Amino acid sequence: MSKRLLTAAIICRECSCADGGCCRSPTPETPGFPLSPAEVDRLAAYVHLADRPPGGGALEQIPSERATMTAPNSPEFLAALDALLPRHKQDIAALFPADGVYRKLRTMPSGDCVFRGEAGCRLPRDVRPWYCNLFPMWVRGEAVMLMNPDDCRLCQETRSPVAAMRLLDMTAADVRRLFAGILREWNLKP
């Protein structure tokens, strides 16, 4: 019997159909990766929510209830950001004060991301948040790594950054570029 050719698209489609994987959180209250104001703007333009007021305006002025939601800067959220971006603890504390909120992709009562479809994410890659395009890859120092969450089917199939990048049709340079996009949009130093 021949082994089936796996691609990231096949894995994502199967995962999305079965349990949602990275497109589902246990509850809508589960912390998610924060969206930068530029990411919110890209999503708003894509889903045709509304025009920004002339000259811009505050993030809260975008009627983005259909695509994004606010969540509290909970201790769990702040600890997760500190773990992902350990070199930026002071910047994270300034960007996300403990008594504030952040904006993330909206999740349905089921925990599904509003953009989850039968074949995975329904957003085009150029509109997706940086984190979504990067996951499950990450950068620590100069090293490209695999986050390796237990529920990620891509991680279960590959177990190495090189194999995951191959399936994702990415290079280490692509991963670093996406990671740099996250840092740039939050004004964090590389």
Side-chain angles (χ1 to χ4, degrees):
M1 179 180 246
S2 66
K3 188 171 180 179
R4 160 177 94 124
L5 177 66
L6 282 179
T7 66
I10 289 170
I11 293 171
C12 288
R13 181 177 60 248
E14 289 176 354
C15 186
S16 185
C17 288
D19 58 17
C22 61
C23 297
R24 176 180 284 167
S25 57
T27 70
E29 294 79 29
T30 302
F33 201 83
L35 298 171
S36 70
E39 288 172 312
V40 172
D41 285 347
R42 281 194 301 275
L43 287 165
Y46 178 76
V47 296
H48 311 291
L49 293 175
D51 293 330
R52 286 187 72 116
L59 182 62
E60 293 76 23
Q61 292 175 313
I62 300 174
S64 54
E65 299 81 33
R66 291 178 20 218
T68 67
M69 60 192 285
T70 58
N73 294 342
S74 67
E76 182 183 21
F77 165 73
L78 295 171
L81 275 186
D82 282 346
L84 286 172
L85 299 164
R87 292 179 31 201
H88 301 284
K89 287 183 186 254
Q90 288 182 322
D91 295 319
I92 296 298
L95 285 167
F96 304 100
D99 61 347
V101 296
Y102 70 99
R103 195 161 283 284
K104 67 178 188 169
L105 289 172
R106 177 168 289 290
T107 51
M108 306 302 285
S110 64
D112 287 351
C113 172
V114 295
F115 297 110
R116 177 180 173 231
E118 290 180 13
C121 186
R122 294 181 293 145
L123 289 172
R125 285 215 172 263
D126 63 336
V127 176
R128 288 181 197 170
W130 291 103
Y131 182 81
C132 296
N133 279 325
L134 184 59
F135 188 86
M137 306 305 299
W138 198 249
V139 176
R140 184 67 43 101
E142 290 300 313
V144 171
M145 59 182 273
L146 193 58
M147 284 189 196
N148 216 9
D150 293 335
D151 60 348
C152 177
R153 293 220 181 149
L154 182 69
C155 293
Q156 292 167 3
E157 292 287 339
T158 60
R159 296 287 181 204
S160 83
V162 172
M165 286 186 290
R166 192 175 308 117
L167 280 178
L168 291 166
D169 195 26
M170 295 172 81
T171 65
D174 295 329
V175 173
R176 288 186 182 96
R177 180 184 52 78
L178 291 167
F179 184 75
I182 290 174
L183 299 181
R184 184 178 54 253
E185 288 200 2
W186 285 110
N187 295 316
L188 301 173
K189 293 178 183 169

